Structures are given as C-alpha cells and as structure tokens.
Amino acid sequence: MKVELVQLAGRDGDTAYNLERTLQAIAACAPDTDLVVFPETQLMGFPTEESVAAVAEPLDGPSVHAVQRAARERNVAVVVGVAENDAGAFYNTTLLITPEGIALRYRKTHLWASDRGIFTPGDRYATALWKGVRVGILICFDIEFPESARALGQLGAELILVTNGNMDPYGPTHRTAIMARAMENQAYAVMVNRVGEGDGDLVFAGGSAVVDPFGQMLCEAGRDECRQIVELDMSRLEAARRDYRYLDERRFVLPGERIDHADGRRELLIT
C-alpha cells in the first residue's frame, strides 16, 4: 500500500485556507497512491469554545463534500481531520474518505486539555477495509493510552492511522508512543502531525512518522512542511506475527460491544 504523509502548517479557524491547501495536496498526489493522510482537525484548525459553533461543520457540509470530490477525481483515499457539528454536539473527528464516500468516522475518545469544554468525547473505536487492509484511526492524545490502539488491534487493525496536532514540548512523547503502539499490536502505524504556529502561542512539533509492525521507524519528518511517500510491505505483518501474536496470547480482553457491519466496518462500543 502506497501512503503519502502530508505534514502542513494550518490556520486555526480559517477553513477556506486549510481546505484549499488540502485540495491542492490531494491533487498533487502520485497517480498510484492509495492513501493520503493529513493532520488533526486539518480542515478547520482548532476552534475555541467561543468559535466552535461557527467553525464546525456537519459531515454532509461543503468542506467534506469538497474532499470527497477530490478523492473521487484522484481515485485515492484521504484521511483528514475535521471539527464536526452533529446537531449541535461538537466532535474532534477524523474521516477515511474513499472515492465512494466516507468509509470510516472516528471521534476522538481522549480529549486533551485544550479539547475539553469544546468537543464531546467519542464513544467507540472502529475499523474499515481499504484495498484489503483493515484500517483504524486514532487522534493525537489517544496514542498515549495503550488501550486505544489495543481496541483497534482487537478489531483486527493492520494499519493504525494517527492524525496528530501535537505541540512542543511533547514531540518526543509521541515518537515513543507511536513506536510502542505499532509494536504491541504488530501493525503498521502512520502518524501525521501539524507544523508551525497555532493560536495560543502553540508551536506544533512535526515529526510525522511511519512505524512497521516490529516497532521500527521507517521514516520520520522534521519540523517543516513536507510530503513523505512510503510503500508499506504488508507481508511484514505476517513476519511480525509469525513466532508469537500478542493479541492471541494476552490474558485480558478490553470490554465493550463489538459490532460487525455488512460493509466490513467493525466497531467496539466503549462501556
């Protein structure tokens, strides 16, 4: 599977600017790319408690529709973060958008300090199939909790995608966490972070990365805007799981209701 990591600087609350840059990046992807991944809340940036009602959009709104059109035109899947408005409830959401539409929606379950009072936490983990690979999504602070990635592993995830909005001085924390989450679940992990300055004097740490199922770093970005293209060798999954499988040998299963959908999606509802 060929994946492009698009590490960008964004503008908080400036959807028009962020959307334009997102569409440009999708249009510029290689013709044989399977998946293009952007940072957390890529389309809207990070809203405040005062601005979220004006900034957040429903998933059938104009910004998501524009990304859906771009995905169809390029015949590529896009992983992009949004501030979601669901009938007046606001979520920090990441979408997997394929040429057919929204294949997967994940709402951030672990809210960072700056999310609280703005977003509502999600209530489930989910995976979906894309080109025969079972894909799951996490968002930023989620990866500091082993249970989040383990929930995706429990749903059979082979590729964990992380949209990130991690800022200084926490870059090293997420570098360590993403390597651990990949190794413990014997899955690929792709993390794409934002760079540059944000509101509230934040400086985003970059460091977008791809980690293989052995926990080995395959590529790592610096602190500037960039695009990295990585070909994932999915045979590495079986190699990592040949001698032992952590998921088979664990003695504790995360609680929750598992739902298997007819379209291949799997969800684990948090209880």
Side-chain angles (χ1 to χ4, degrees), residues 168-249:
D168 290 341
Y170 306 111
T173 301
H174 280 204
R175 185 182 194 275
T176 300
I178 196 64
M179 295 171 73
R181 302 297 84 85
M183 186 202 73
E184 345 174 289
N185 293 286
Q186 296 169 303
Y188 276 103
V190 172
M191 178 177 71
V192 180
N193 198 20
R194 182 173 161 180
V195 295
E197 298 180 357
D199 290 350
D201 297 322
L202 296 179
V203 178
F204 293 95
S208 298
V210 177
V211 184
D212 78 2
F214 292 94
Q216 298 173 345
M217 188 76 72
L218 299 183
C219 72
E220 184 175 16
R223 297 179 61 91
D224 298 321
E225 290 193 334
C226 67
R227 178 191 298 260
Q228 295 188 317
I229 302 175
V230 179
E231 187 82 39
L232 303 183
D233 178 2
M234 303 313 292
S235 69
R236 297 280 287 168
L237 291 167
E238 186 55 39
R241 301 170 181 183
R242 180 177 300 122
D243 297 326
Y244 53 87
R245 293 177 179 246
Y246 291 133
L247 287 161
D248 293 341
E249 298 186 38

Side-chain angles (χ1 to χ4, degrees), residues 121-203:
D123 66 353
R124 69 195 64 198
Y125 297 97
T127 64
L129 291 170
W130 172 240
K131 295 201 170 181
V133 176
R134 185 158 293 281
V135 175
I137 297 171
L138 297 175
I139 302 174
C140 199
F141 193 40
D142 286 329
I143 68 168
E144 297 183 41
F145 298 86
E147 297 85 356
S148 295
R150 179 49 49 89
L152 296 182
Q154 205 163 284
L155 294 172
E158 299 167 303
L159 172 58
I160 298 171
L161 303 171
V162 183
T163 55
N164 215 14
N166 189 30
M167 72 291 290
D168 290 341
Y170 306 111
T173 301
H174 280 204
R175 185 182 194 275
T176 300
I178 196 64
M179 295 171 73
R181 302 297 84 85
M183 186 202 73
E184 345 174 289
N185 293 286
Q186 296 169 303
Y188 276 103
V190 172
M191 178 177 71
V192 180
N193 198 20
R194 182 173 161 180
V195 295
E197 298 180 357
D199 290 350
D201 297 322
L202 296 179
V203 178

